[in-house]
Amino acid sequence: MGNKVISEAVIKRLPRYYRYLEHLEQEGVTKVSSGTLAGMLGVTASQVRQDFCNFGGFGQHGYGYDVAYLKRKLAEILGLDRPYDMIIIGAGNIGRALAGYKNFAAEGFRVKALFDVEVKDPLVGDVPVYGMDKLADYVKQNGCDIAVIATQKNVASDVAGRLVALGVKSLWNFAPIDLEVPSDVAVENIAMSESLYVLSYRMKNK
Amino acid sequence: MGNKVISEAVIKRLPRYYRYLEHLEQEGVTKVSSGTLAGMLGVTASQVRQDFCNFGGFGQHGYGYDVAYLKRKLAEILGLDRPYDMIIIGAGNIGRALAGYKNFAAEGFRVKALFDVEVKDPLVGDVPVYGMDKLADYVKQNGCDIAVIATQKNVASDVAGRLVALGVKSLWNFAPIDLEVPSDVAVENIAMSESLYVLSYRMKNK
DNA sequence: TAGATTGTTAATCGATTAACAATC
DNA sequence: TAGATTGTTAATCGATTAACAATC
């Protein structure tokens, strides 16, 4: 593993590069320069080259970057070159919406099951819903690459703790709290209300 | 308006401070020091004081910060001291989930209407759903503080353009694209797939 | 008063930008 | 070859941290 430490700022830009490269590829564009890419992202060409240089550099002097190759390299870096099995804890509004979101499956993130204390419907789309009492057995039998926390705020920490105890190494958290997990567990938050607060701030300060 | 330019880094921390202050207030805690707050957020006491100092400073030498007062000041800064009327464009999984999310209303963000090209149900919870042809009239008659873009990716730019043309000054965007808007329009993105990519990166690099 | 803790200036650290030799 | 554009080092800029006088 290429273990140069990459800053958070760089990591957060990688998915954006990837998105624009997908777009370029769809348009049939085969090569792109750091300057062009920079123009699309709204950053400097220097930064684009620095960012890729962190991973060794994927371009050719005097030519630029091959779109398909650069995209493939970014996919590798981001870990998008393999599928992931996800489960969602909490079959409320957000949990059900995520289960029904087709794009995830298309990108290799496969929702295999929903869990909730109360099973109102046995299926959401084509995803089965199980009671929370089934969680441990399910994870032990089927494994789970990513668990999505879509529960109420007040149980989110407990649920995270149970998942970690079951050996789940990756949590995608939609609850408005900061989860505390061991250092070998990856966490990403979707902080919707914080985003809404920032929007409110921006409105006020335009 | 106090027009010191505040960095993005500071702005993004404000909602987190606010969240922890809410928590402290609920616990009945009336005063807090920069050190304590820093411990909760996982930052340094220096940074906490610097951040508040940007807005004039809300503490008292030798005492710390009054929780209720600091929370009220942060609410003012973030613009949470008044309600907002929201509409949601796109009555798919995400749009409907957001319409049904009770916490928003509790925080003063009121979902007034959903819009979609196709009106399958006239109501989602207690929120009315209208056809896209009703959008212009609705906004002209009722106004709209914040429009939520929860459409398919391929129409998101068009929808954003229409909203901006109708005078909407604030967009909360769930589509995986970068919206281009005039400088007096505020935009905040919830980039779910980018977050998932970052999670994937983190899993791979733990 | 003595102790605690802020507000704020100065020092440090890290990220971004500029520059340019290497090279396709 | 001449032109273009990278990879990478050095310079700049901005954000974080440390320090401490002010003061409750």
Side-chain angles (χ1 to χ4, degrees):
Chain A
M1 306 177 192
N3 270 348
K4 190 173 183 302
V5 175
I6 308 295
S7 79
E8 279 295 296
V10 174
I11 295 166
K12 293 235 191 72
R13 278 192 295 271
L14 297 179
R16 297 192 64 217
Y17 290 125
Y18 187 75
R19 181 148 57 76
Y20 279 100
L21 285 164
E22 272 185 320
H23 182 69
L24 286 170
E25 201 175 47
Q26 275 163 22
E27 302 263 296
V29 178
T30 57
K31 69 156 237 181
V32 69
S33 69
S34 57
T36 305
L37 211 40
M40 300 196 292
L41 284 261
V43 300
T44 63
S46 241
Q47 186 163 68
V48 171
R49 292 201 299 279
Q50 278 279 19
D51 284 351
F52 297 156
C53 189
N54 279 305
F55 302 97
F58 307 119
Q60 231 175 306
H61 282 89
Y63 175 85
Y65 301 87
D66 181 85
V67 170
Y69 178 72
L70 180 55
K71 177 172 164 260
R72 193 168 72 244
K73 283 296 174 187
L74 285 173
E76 279 172 25
I77 291 165
L78 288 167
L80 303 179
D81 50 353
R82 72 164 185 96
Y84 294 92
D85 286 344
M86 307 204 305
I87 61 172
I88 300 174
I89 320 300
N93 285 311
I94 293 171
R96 289 201 310 275
L98 293 173
Y101 196 51
K102 301 294 172 207
N103 290 27
F104 291 152
E107 290 168 321
F109 295 90
R110 307 182 292 209
V111 178
K112 308 294 270 191
L114 273 159
F115 292 86
D116 205 324
V117 279
E118 193 190 352
V119 180
K120 286 172 189 160
D121 308 297
L123 278 180
V124 169
D126 49 10
V127 181
V129 185
Y130 304 116
M132 284 299 285
D133 54 321
K134 303 285 195 306
L135 179 63
D137 280 346
Y138 177 93
V139 172
K140 280 172 202 160
Q141 278 177 35
N142 302 281
C144 165
D145 298 312
I146 299 172
V148 183
I149 297 181
T151 64
Q152 292 292 107
K153 177 183 174 177
N154 57 339
V155 296
S157 297
D158 284 352
V159 166
R162 288 179 62 180
L163 290 162
V164 168
L166 287 166
V168 175
K169 293 283 183 250
S170 188
L171 303 178
W172 200 25
N173 175 42
F174 283 73
I177 59 161
D178 297 323
L179 298 176
E180 313 222 339
V181 297
S183 65
D184 65 334
V185 176
V187 177
E188 257 285 304
N189 299 302
I190 296 283
M192 292 206 284
S193 63
E194 290 179 19
S195 172
L196 205 40
Y197 292 175
V198 171
L199 183 59
S200 161
Y201 175 87
R202 296 227 166 97
M203 291 169 69
K204 188 164 182 164
N205 294 86
K206 283 279 176 186
Chain B
M1 303 176 195
N3 270 349
K4 191 173 182 305
V5 175
I6 308 296
S7 80
E8 280 294 298
V10 174
I11 295 167
K12 293 235 192 70
R13 279 192 294 272
L14 297 178
R16 298 190 64 216
Y17 290 125
Y18 187 75
R19 181 149 56 76
Y20 279 100
L21 285 163
E22 273 185 321
H23 182 69
L24 286 169
E25 200 175 48
Q26 274 163 25
E27 303 264 297
V29 178
T30 57
K31 70 156 235 180
V32 69
S33 70
S34 57
T36 306
L37 213 38
M40 299 197 291
L41 285 259
V43 298
T44 64
S46 242
Q47 186 163 67
V48 171
R49 292 200 300 278
Q50 278 279 19
D51 284 351
F52 297 156
C53 189
N54 280 304
F55 303 97
F58 308 119
Q60 230 175 306
H61 283 88
Y63 176 84
Y65 300 88
D66 181 87
V67 169
Y69 178 73
L70 180 55
K71 176 172 164 260
R72 193 167 73 244
K73 283 296 174 187
L74 285 173
E76 279 171 26
I77 291 165
L78 288 167
L80 304 179
D81 50 353
R82 72 165 184 96
Y84 295 91
D85 285 344
M86 307 204 306
I87 61 173
I88 300 174
I89 320 300
N93 285 312
I94 293 170
R96 288 201 310 275
L98 293 172
Y101 196 53
K102 302 295 174 208
N103 289 27
F104 292 152
E107 290 167 320
F109 296 89
R110 307 182 292 208
V111 178
K112 307 293 271 194
L114 272 160
F115 292 87
D116 206 322
V117 280
E118 194 189 351
V119 180
K120 285 171 190 160
D121 308 295
L123 278 179
V124 170
D126 48 10
V127 181
V129 185
Y130 303 116
M132 284 300 284
D133 54 320
K134 302 286 196 304
L135 179 63
D137 280 347
Y138 177 93
V139 172
K140 282 173 200 159
Q141 277 176 34
N142 303 281
C144 166
D145 298 313
I146 299 171
V148 183
I149 297 181
T151 64
Q152 292 293 105
K153 178 182 174 177
N154 58 340
V155 295
S157 297
D158 284 352
V159 166
R162 288 178 63 181
L163 290 162
V164 168
L166 287 166
V168 175
K169 292 285 182 252
S170 188
L171 303 178
W172 200 27
N173 176 43
F174 284 72
I177 58 161
D178 296 324
L179 298 177
E180 311 221 339
V181 297
S183 65
D184 66 331
V185 176
V187 177
E188 257 286 304
N189 299 303
I190 295 285
M192 292 204 286
S193 62
E194 290 179 20
S195 172
L196 205 40
Y197 292 174
V198 170
L199 183 61
S200 161
Y201 174 88
R202 296 229 166 95
M203 289 169 72
K204 187 164 184 165
N205 295 86
K206 283 281 176 185

